[in-house]
Amino acid sequence: MIISLLVVLAATLAYAGCGPWLSHTLRPALAVRLLAPTGLAVTATLWFAAAVTAFTWIGQDAEVAAVGAWSAQALRSQAPLPWPVPAAALLGLALAAAHTAVFLGRRVRALRAAHRDCGRLGAPGALVVLDSDVPDAFTTPEAAGRIVVTRGMLRALAADERAALLAHEASHLSHRHAWWAAAVDLAASANPVLGPTARRLRNAIERWADEDAAARLGDRRLVARALARAALARRRYAAGPLPAATGGDVPDRVRALLDPPVTRRGPALAVLAVVLTVLALGGATVQHQGEHLFEQARTAHTERG
């Protein structure tokens, strides 16, 4: 089992290492659609492997073995790993679960607050203008959300720049970017090694909306100028959890609009396919070996009974 566990860990670290590069190399929309689910799959497989490892130790307890109808002694004698390894896996699972629960609580409260404050203003899909001097623009996360912009943000932009800002937010709304961002952040919360990848993917979500706005208006420089001016107006205020025009790495987004990066989809997809294949094989092997271990312990229990 140790080899299969190392394979899962290696695939996880490989994805964590190449994730930022993949996020930047693929087109933004494709990067988000591929890598957000991949991050969740990598995290789920890692913690599944950790759970199997931890349970090979927990199952050696006599009371647990009695409930499961297997031999604790047989399981102990066949245990593939010394007890500090599954103990560390159990501790890691507990910490990851606690960290994820805190993240989910905060994100749910933020989404509920956005829905409570703005989700019922105007008709679904409508533009809602808030009478606030704080420059801000975002979309609400409902299935039929709203585009929300403050008067402070509108005053900071020229008329054509307002059109670019609203086109950006319309992309967030139509593609449900708030939920893509939640998936990206959830994977990083449960698996902190994916933090750099999550930051790049949050930026890719904003670049996705930038590209949609540029295609809609036919003027990349206008979108870049609107983005830069909106970010300057917003610079004194903390970013919120919802996708917004001033989120992500603004200088990188402006550069991408003025000088689009060369995308290399073929090599990136090949790397991603290799990582996912190795991850799937490692996870399946851990499952098979774990099942085999407990089947042998049950057989020993039956023979002694």
Side-chain angles (χ1 to χ4, degrees):
M1 182 179 284
I2 184 65
I3 294 178
S4 54
L5 289 173
L6 289 175
V7 167
V8 171
L9 181 59
T12 301
L13 294 176
Y15 176 71
C18 68
W21 171 75
L22 291 170
S23 303
H24 188 72
T25 300
L26 295 169
R27 289 185 297 105
L30 182 61
V32 175
R33 286 171 169 151
L34 285 180
L35 300 184
T38 297
L40 292 174
V42 168
T43 299
T45 304
L46 176 65
W47 295 125
F48 169 76
V52 172
T53 303
F55 199 67
T56 61
W57 181 51
I58 296 172
Q60 296 172 26
D61 181 81
E63 294 182 1
V64 175
V67 174
W70 59 71
S71 169
Q73 183 178 356
L75 188 61
R76 191 177 300 111
S77 64
Q78 298 169 18
L81 300 167
W83 72 266
V85 176
L90 182 61
L91 178 60
L93 282 170
L95 292 175
H99 194 259
T100 302
V102 171
F103 161 78
L104 287 174
R106 290 175 177 172
R107 184 56 56 91
V108 168
R109 285 195 297 272
L111 294 177
R112 288 183 63 185
H115 173 71
R116 181 185 65 248
D117 296 340
C118 306
R120 294 185 177 87
L121 299 176
L127 169 64
V128 176
V129 179
L130 298 182
D131 189 13
S132 172
D133 292 330
V134 177
D136 201 3
F138 59 91
T139 58
T140 59
E142 304 90 5
R146 281 81 168 160
I147 298 173
V148 180
V149 62
T150 63
R151 294 192 184 279
M153 180 62 80
L154 294 178
R155 284 196 296 266
L157 304 177
D160 55 351
E161 293 168 349
R162 295 172 193 164
L165 176 77
L166 295 179
H168 175 102
E169 295 300 334
S171 175
H172 282 326
L173 184 64
S174 63
H175 295 298
R176 305 290 182 261
H177 284 165
W179 299 107
W180 286 110
V184 167
D185 292 342
L186 175 62
S189 176
N191 188 358
V193 299
L194 299 186
T197 301
R199 287 190 291 274
R200 293 301 307 176
L201 281 176
R202 286 295 296 255
N203 194 60
I205 290 172
E206 297 302 333
R207 287 188 56 214
W208 181 355
D210 292 340
E211 293 296 333
D212 282 356
R216 180 174 177 178
L217 298 178
D219 190 340
R220 301 181 69 85
R221 288 188 172 276
L222 169 61
V223 177
R225 188 173 71 248
L227 165 62
R229 188 163 294 179
L232 286 173
R234 178 71 185 175
R235 67 185 184 280
R236 296 180 181 178
Y237 302 92
L242 298 176
T246 55
D249 183 348
V250 174
D252 177 74
R253 291 168 55 200
V254 170
R255 284 193 297 269
L257 284 165
L258 297 179
D259 187 16
V262 178
T263 59
R264 297 180 294 277
R265 185 172 64 177
L269 293 179
V271 170
L272 185 60
V274 170
V275 170
L276 287 175
T277 300
V278 173
L279 182 76
L281 290 174
T285 304
V286 168
Q287 179 183 5
H288 173 74
Q289 291 176 337
E291 290 176 348
H292 181 67
L293 186 65
F294 281 93
E295 286 173 2
Q296 289 182 315
R298 286 193 180 94
T299 301
H301 176 75
T302 302
E303 291 175 351
R304 291 177 183 179

